[in-house]
Amino acid sequence: MTDAWEALQRECARCQECSLCQTRQNVVFGVGNPQAELMLVGEGPGAHEDEQGIPFVGKAGKLLDDMLAMIGLDRTKVYIANVVKCRPPGNRDPLNVEQDACIGYLLRQIDLIRPKILVCLGRIAALRLISDKFRITKEHGLWFDCNGIRTTAIYHPSALLRDPSKRPESFDDLKSIQREVLRICTRTELYLPWLPQQEPPA
């Protein structure tokens, strides 16, 4: 897998398949464990991500880290990527033509990682990976079988920053994800303090 993964990273770094390549500072390939059983997919990089080349490093990234911590996870135990790897100007939604140009990289990432659980962070990822008729307000937290992968969608952390009233629903969705991790993942150890056999992360 290592050779294929590195080759994909190099190919992605050189990509000029859409106009986003003209304004990017960095290609934001992904972060985390490429052998993770749980993969999270967002929409696209923002300004901080474009500067650092790492997904979810701004305020939304801090909230995502907190959300993962609530269910005993951190970035070393998951893999995080986006539908598009370059920042859309002004943090607008990526256009369909931009998503079409980039989606192949994400699908190849998913194929190489082979996660048992896939979590779409927000509407754009869910429309691409679950259904083109997906409604995030109605269907967040529901589970789907997408090419043999247990898949769900939750509100994007940016949406929770804009509208904190959605946080209780999101916590319920996170607990559902935690239950699925405990049910089907065999290599993902959650840090759950009430389970004495587990050691806290270093």
Side-chain angles (χ1 to χ4, degrees):
M1 174 189 173
T2 301
D3 290 346
W5 188 258
E6 291 177 353
L8 179 58
Q9 275 189 292
R10 289 194 298 270
E11 182 182 342
C12 192
R14 297 192 301 265
C15 182
Q16 297 187 9
E17 292 297 315
C18 78
S19 61
L20 294 183
C21 70
Q22 299 168 11
T23 55
R24 72 185 179 217
Q25 294 185 60
N26 287 290
V27 170
V28 182
F29 184 72
V31 69
N33 179 4
Q35 296 179 324
E37 295 178 293
L38 173 63
M39 183 173 179
L40 297 91
V41 178
E43 174 182 315
H48 296 291
E49 290 78 12
D50 184 42
E51 290 172 1
Q52 299 183 41
I54 303 171
F56 288 92
V57 292
K59 289 182 179 178
K62 174 62 167 64
L63 179 55
L64 179 60
D65 288 343
D66 291 344
M67 292 164 68
L68 289 173
M70 287 178 190
I71 57 172
L73 291 168
D74 60 49
R75 292 187 184 220
T76 67
K77 298 175 181 176
V78 304
Y79 194 83
I80 305 171
N82 282 307
V83 172
V84 298
K85 311 300 188 189
C86 300
R87 181 195 179 197
N91 292 352
R92 62 163 169 75
D93 287 350
L95 304 176
N96 284 338
V97 66
E98 295 160 353
Q99 296 181 43
D100 290 344
C102 210
I103 193 67
Y105 296 121
L106 175 63
L107 295 179
R108 286 162 66 188
Q109 284 177 303
I110 294 171
D111 188 54
L112 288 170
I113 294 171
R114 297 186 178 278
K116 292 183 177 178
I117 296 173
L118 191 59
V119 177
C120 299
L121 300 171
R123 173 179 57 90
I124 298 293
L127 286 169
R128 273 290 171 171
L129 297 177
I130 298 177
S131 166
D132 60 6
K133 296 179 175 58
F134 192 88
R135 299 167 301 167
I136 190 70
T137 55
K138 301 286 187 182
E139 297 176 284
H140 68 87
L142 300 181
W143 287 95
F144 303 83
D145 186 314
C146 297
N147 298 316
I149 302 173
R150 289 287 284 167
T151 305
T152 191
I154 64 176
Y155 286 116
H156 194 285
S158 293
L160 300 179
L161 290 172
R162 291 191 300 270
D163 184 1
S165 70
K166 291 184 170 70
R167 293 194 182 196
E169 297 172 78
S170 294
F171 183 70
D172 290 341
D173 294 343
L174 289 169
K175 296 298 288 183
S176 177
I177 293 167
Q178 183 187 58
R179 287 192 294 271
E180 283 301 294
V181 171
L182 290 169
R183 187 176 73 86
I184 66 174
C185 293
T186 57
R187 295 180 284 103
T188 305
E189 292 186 4
L190 304 185
Y191 172 51
L192 303 175
W194 57 89
L195 296 181
Q197 72 272 21
Q198 294 200 336
E199 295 295 328

